[in-house]
Structure formats: structure tokens, C-alpha cells
Amino acid sequence: MIVILYTSHWEEPAERLQRLIQSSFPVEGIEIYRTLGSFLHRLQNPPDLPFVVVLLAGEPNELFDFRSIDHLLGGTRLILVLPDQAEETLRTAHRLRPRYLTYADSDFSDLAQVIKKMAGPQPG
């Protein structure tokens, strides 16, 4: 399995998230994208292996960028990491139909369990 991580804000939460993914379970690879253009290119050329997309929004308005590419995210195993718990942030996040969402200030232990579950067999 491949974990595709996108964040334009490489700060402490992104570093913690990367360490957690790399240490929690074996994956064929973790791909990190820091520009929307490079991330878009990857989504347009998806990997042959199963993959999970983790989007870490550094600020609430970044969710609107994600909404503009939701046609490429549809059907993916999508996890959102949100910058805050504001009502508008949550409303926008749910429009992306993530399989799971959490917050940048969490310890991400729950996220590791979710990715492990997603790595298992998927219904056809």
C-alpha cells in the first residue's frame, strides 16, 4: 500500500504525521506532496498499488482548494486532517466525503489505526 500525503504547510503536525506513518506499519511507500500542482499530477496518474490519500489542511480556506479537485478524490480512501474544529471547517470538510477526519492538534494514534484498516482488503 502507498500513503499519499499532501500538505502545503510543512510544520510540526506534518512531521509528526510522517513519522507516525513510517513507523506504524509497513507500506510500499509514502509519497509527500507540498504543492497542489504536483499532488494533482499524482492523482491524475494514480499508483497501481492500493493507496490512501491523507490531506493535511494548514488553514481552513485550503479546504476550498481540495473541493476544486474533488472529482479526482472521489472513490479514494481519503483522510482529512483539519486545522480547527470550527463549524464552517467541518461543513466544508464533510463535502469532500472523507472516510475519516481528525485534527492537526491530535496525537494521530487513531489515524494509524484507521490507515491500518484501510490497508486491508477492500470490497470490490
Side-chain angles (χ1 to χ4, degrees):
M1 181 177 74
I2 295 174
V3 176
I4 299 173
L5 170 62
Y6 170 79
T7 179
S8 63
H9 301 278
W10 193 260
E11 296 170 355
E12 193 270 337
E15 291 174 11
R16 281 190 300 118
L17 185 54
Q18 179 187 3
R19 282 193 307 270
L20 174 89
I21 292 169
Q22 289 175 327
S23 66
S24 292
F25 51 91
V27 292
E28 285 75 11
I30 177 171
E31 299 178 8
I32 300 170
Y33 297 92
R34 296 194 52 204
T35 66
L36 196 56
S38 62
F39 177 64
L40 275 169
H41 184 265
R42 183 52 164 147
L43 288 180
Q44 291 168 337
N45 301 287
D48 292 331
L49 297 171
F51 65 98
V52 172
V53 174
V54 180
L55 300 179
L56 194 158
E59 52 193 46
N61 67 357
E62 197 168 17
L63 292 171
F64 293 105
D65 292 337
F66 301 157
R67 289 280 323 265
S68 72
I69 61 167
D70 67 351
H71 63 286
L72 294 172
L73 296 171
T76 63
R77 300 170 187 154
L78 176 62
I79 295 172
L80 286 178
V81 181
L82 303 177
D84 60 51
Q85 296 182 35
E87 186 176 325
E88 183 61 27
T89 301
L90 287 169
R91 188 177 10 259
T92 304
H94 281 290
R95 289 184 187 129
L96 291 165
R97 299 172 306 281
R99 294 201 182 178
Y100 186 75
L101 60 87
T102 189
Y103 302 95
D105 62 355
S106 76
D107 68 1
F108 297 135
S109 59
D110 54 340
L111 189 79
Q113 295 303 316
V114 170
I115 293 174
K116 284 179 185 179
K117 277 192 123 166
M118 287 183 181
Q122 297 295 308

